[in-house]
Amino acid sequence: MKLFRAALLASALSLPLAAGAVYAATPADALVIAQNIDDIVALDPAQAYEFSAGEINANLYDKLVQYDAADTTVLAPGLASEWTADEAAKSLTFTMREGATFASGNPVRAEDVLFSFKRVVTLNLTPAFILTQLGWTAENIDEMVTVEGNTVTVKWTGDFASAFVLNVLAARPGAIVDEVLVMQNEVDGDMGNAWLNTNSAGSGPYTLTDYRPAEMVRLSANENYWNGAPAMKQVLIRHVAEAATQQLLLSSGDVDLAKNLTPDQIGGLGENVKVETYPQAAVHFLSFNQKTEELTDPAVWEAARYLVDYDGMTQSFLKGQMEKHQAFWPKGFPGSYDETPFTYDVEKAKQILADAGVETPINVTLDVINSAPFTDIAQSLQAGFSEAGIDFEILPGTGAQVITKYRERTHQAMLLYWGPDFMDPHSNAKAFAYNSDNSDDNYTATTTWRNAWEVPAEMNEQVNAALAEADQNVRNEMYVELQKKVQADSPIVIMFQAALQIAMANNVEGYVNGSNSDFVYYRLVTKN
């Protein structure tokens, strides 16, 4: 009966919803999710770069080291059981975990690690830059990653601490794939790329058994997973673009999780549903382009920090979506600085401007993505800043229009957000505290360069020193100090950290949603 119901449900999930349709309650050993997954472009871990793809791959593949479901804040052993660092030689040597197998049954070998890294660098698709920043190229990868017995030695160029390299290897393109299976499915020298975009070849807790773009994804449990077989034998992700339809499916018991509900819908759920809130890695900020003369006085930067109604926004239209956070590294990870010293204080802001002799009014254009909650935040900022004589003219645009303008440094003030490419503090320290060449022809994908902020030489040196520091505890303290400096004296006003609200049936336990899409795990889920 259970198998019949699971098959019936899987069949139903592959078809469009009919109005008023009623389906059986979800099986006890299947997790059924309603989610908008139309962002998926690729599932091959050497190519995948979208949020939904990251969530799926997190459950299909392991890395040498990884932030696991048991604790997404701890970098733990994965397919490597242990490792040693040689900072002087700029190398890490990993010992492979004994007995680990891929879902195919093939053993996980040191050779699979070399193949996986070589494959990413050779294909050179979107996320390859995360690995190639270590100095790896298609020409030198066989010298930079070497195999001896059951050990793999990874080398790098540049002044990087081994802790930084570990975080790079824990990122999505660090996924280890089954060389034997992948190369059996190679076509025209693509190293299995086409096949891996609709299949999987990992050692993770699940395998990909069905993927239909913009329709559904089905994962099946890997019963031989080295870290324990999942309780949920299937994970069924149905593409449901409309939040209202997700709400209906959850309320009627046809799905276990709804991942894209609005705050209003969250507030209207019934008693059989619970809502969990998960802090996310993205930080939201207001920034001032230093090409605009009226915005170059540090007193303007300082006053701005007291003109943001942090509590008013997070307790009203941002409730459940964002929390107050005023530093560049997200809360919940080593190296974060979680103090929030700034409050909405118009009189203090006015006094700061007056003491510095800043003449008001100052008229500023504010670029913003033309959708909620960005437009709502912009209107709140407009109201608050006007109290101190800083008048924003809001310029809404599409995401592409706003970001293009930002990259061209043609804005005045900008309301945007930033998420790290991998979970090491340097990823954001470089973005918010480093800019060694502010020239127009030196395009750099950082908030500092895009706002034409010529970072003080001392701060640039501190960023480089933190990157090279071998002691992780010392490193974390260095990043805390950098955050304090950026928080106190920069043209970038960090305001919020995003939060994700996920609604789920009351009987669902053990769902893990870390701070970004690579930390979404199903292997610990149970249904009581």
Side-chain angles (χ1 to χ4, degrees):
M1 178 65 175
K2 183 181 292 184
L3 290 175
F4 172 75
R5 289 177 64 192
L8 178 65
L9 180 60
S11 176
L13 286 172
S14 69
L15 299 172
L17 275 172
V22 178
Y23 300 113
T26 63
D29 60 356
L31 180 68
V32 186
I33 301 169
Q35 181 178 355
N36 186 337
I37 57 171
D38 66 3
D39 63 323
I40 298 175
V41 173
L43 289 176
D44 180 349
Q47 183 179 5
Y49 203 59
E50 303 78 41
F51 290 155
S52 298
E55 294 184 12
I56 293 166
N57 278 354
N59 295 279
L60 301 176
Y61 298 95
D62 290 311
K63 292 98 174 178
L64 288 174
V65 293
Q66 56 201 26
Y67 291 91
D68 188 56
D71 189 343
T72 62
T73 68
V74 175
L75 188 61
L79 291 177
S81 58
E82 59 184 9
W83 57 89
T84 57
D86 185 342
E87 303 286 348
K90 298 181 180 180
S91 70
L92 283 158
T93 298
F94 298 90
T95 301
M96 299 302 293
R97 181 178 297 280
E98 292 185 7
T101 63
F102 291 106
S104 66
N106 294 328
V108 178
R109 310 164 300 148
E111 289 82 1
D112 293 300
V113 176
L114 171 57
F115 171 76
S116 299
F117 294 164
K118 187 173 185 176
R119 184 173 176 274
V120 172
V121 173
T122 302
L123 290 174
N124 197 28
L125 299 169
T126 305
F129 76 93
I130 296 174
L131 297 187
T132 58
Q133 67 183 316
L134 300 178
W136 297 358
T137 67
E139 291 71 33
N140 72 9
I141 188 67
D142 288 311
E143 289 75 44
M144 303 301 285
V145 181
T146 56
V147 172
E148 183 175 349
N150 72 331
T151 65
V152 179
T153 298
V154 169
K155 301 176 183 177
W156 62 89
T157 61
D159 293 326
F160 304 149
S162 59
F164 169 79
V165 179
L166 287 169
N167 275 315
V168 167
L169 299 180
R172 194 180 307 173
I176 308 305
V177 302
D178 183 341
E179 178 182 11
V180 174
L181 181 59
V182 169
M183 293 308 289
Q184 286 173 353
N185 293 279
E186 182 183 40
V187 176
D188 297 331
D190 74 344
M191 303 185 81
N193 174 243
W195 184 80
L196 272 181
N197 278 322
T198 54
N199 297 273
S200 64
S203 62
Y206 287 94
T207 62
L208 179 64
T209 51
D210 195 2
Y211 168 52
R212 306 175 196 177
E215 288 188 25
M216 59 94 72
V217 175
R218 182 187 294 117
L219 310 180
S220 296
N222 176 7
E223 298 294 342
N224 297 315
Y225 183 50
W226 61 267
N227 208 10
M232 296 293 102
K233 303 310 177 188
Q234 287 192 81
V235 176
L236 303 169
I237 306 171
R238 167 69 189 271
H239 171 59
V240 182
E242 301 80 14
T245 306
Q246 290 191 22
Q247 181 187 25
L248 177 63
L249 289 170
L250 181 63
S251 298
S252 62
D254 292 314
V255 301
D256 300 305
L257 271 78
K259 300 187 74 171
N260 306 108
L261 301 187
T262 66
D264 287 344
Q265 289 163 342
I266 290 286
L269 294 170
E271 61 182 15
N272 294 325
V273 175
K274 61 184 177 181
V275 178
E276 301 288 349
T277 301
Y278 303 94
Q280 298 295 284
V283 294
H284 292 247
F285 61 88
L286 167 70
S287 63
F288 300 120
N289 190 344
Q290 296 306 283
K291 287 179 173 289
T292 304
E293 185 176 353
E294 295 87 347
L295 302 176
T296 59
D297 193 321
V300 174
W301 312 345
E302 183 183 5
R305 286 160 165 77
Y306 294 98
L307 295 172
V308 178
D309 191 0
Y310 308 94
D311 293 329
M313 285 189 268
T314 55
Q315 292 172 13
S316 57
F317 62 86
L318 293 181
K319 188 173 184 179
Q321 291 185 315
M322 295 189 197
E323 63 176 301
K324 182 167 60 175
H325 187 71
Q326 297 172 347
F328 64 67
W329 188 234
K331 178 181 178 181
F333 277 87
S336 71
Y337 178 62
D338 303 331
E339 298 299 317
T340 54
F342 304 111
T343 59
Y344 182 52
D345 190 336
V346 173
E347 294 307 314
K348 186 167 186 174
K350 287 181 177 179
Q351 192 63 53
I352 291 169
L353 295 172
D355 290 347
V358 175
E359 294 185 5
T360 57
I362 299 173
N363 296 309
V364 187
T365 57
L366 174 63
D367 285 276
V368 58
I369 296 173
N370 190 22
S371 65
F374 306 107
T375 49
D376 297 323
I377 296 172
Q379 289 169 5
S380 175
L381 294 174
Q382 184 183 52
F385 275 69
S386 67
E387 294 292 324
I390 301 175
D391 297 323
F392 285 134
E393 177 190 353
I394 298 173
L395 300 180
T398 66
Q401 289 170 335
V402 169
I403 292 171
T404 297
K405 195 171 182 179
Y406 193 44
R407 289 171 176 169
E408 293 174 348
R409 310 210 288 188
T410 57
H411 64 288
Q412 291 186 353
M414 177 66 66
L415 178 62
L416 261 181
Y417 56 93
W418 188 275
D421 288 311
F422 51 94
M423 294 314 297
D424 185 275
H426 177 72
S427 183
N428 279 18
K430 184 177 180 180
F432 288 88
Y434 187 86
N435 184 14
S436 60
D437 183 351
N438 195 42
S439 58
D440 286 337
D441 58 0
N442 181 51
Y443 173 78
T444 309
T446 64
T447 62
T448 50
W449 185 88
R450 290 173 178 175
N451 285 292
W453 180 36
E454 191 168 349
V455 174
E458 179 187 1
M459 190 177 292
N460 286 327
E461 292 168 3
Q462 288 175 313
V463 171
N464 287 332
L467 176 60
E469 174 57 51
D471 186 313
Q472 186 59 42
N473 291 328
V474 174
R475 229 181 141 234
N476 289 339
E477 286 303 315
M478 294 171 78
Y479 286 116
V480 167
E481 290 305 312
L482 277 166
Q483 287 171 90
K484 289 179 179 179
K485 290 184 177 182
V486 171
Q487 187 184 73
D489 190 20
S490 87
I492 304 164
V493 182
I494 300 162
M495 305 178 292
F496 307 115
Q497 181 174 341
L500 181 64
Q501 288 183 303
I502 296 179
M504 63 189 75
N506 283 334
N507 67 336
V508 174
E509 300 291 342
Y511 171 77
V512 177
N513 202 117
S515 67
N516 68 27
S517 60
D518 290 322
F519 300 163
V520 173
Y521 297 114
Y522 305 126
R523 75 174 183 86
L524 301 181
V525 171
T526 60
K527 290 163 71 173
N528 299 323

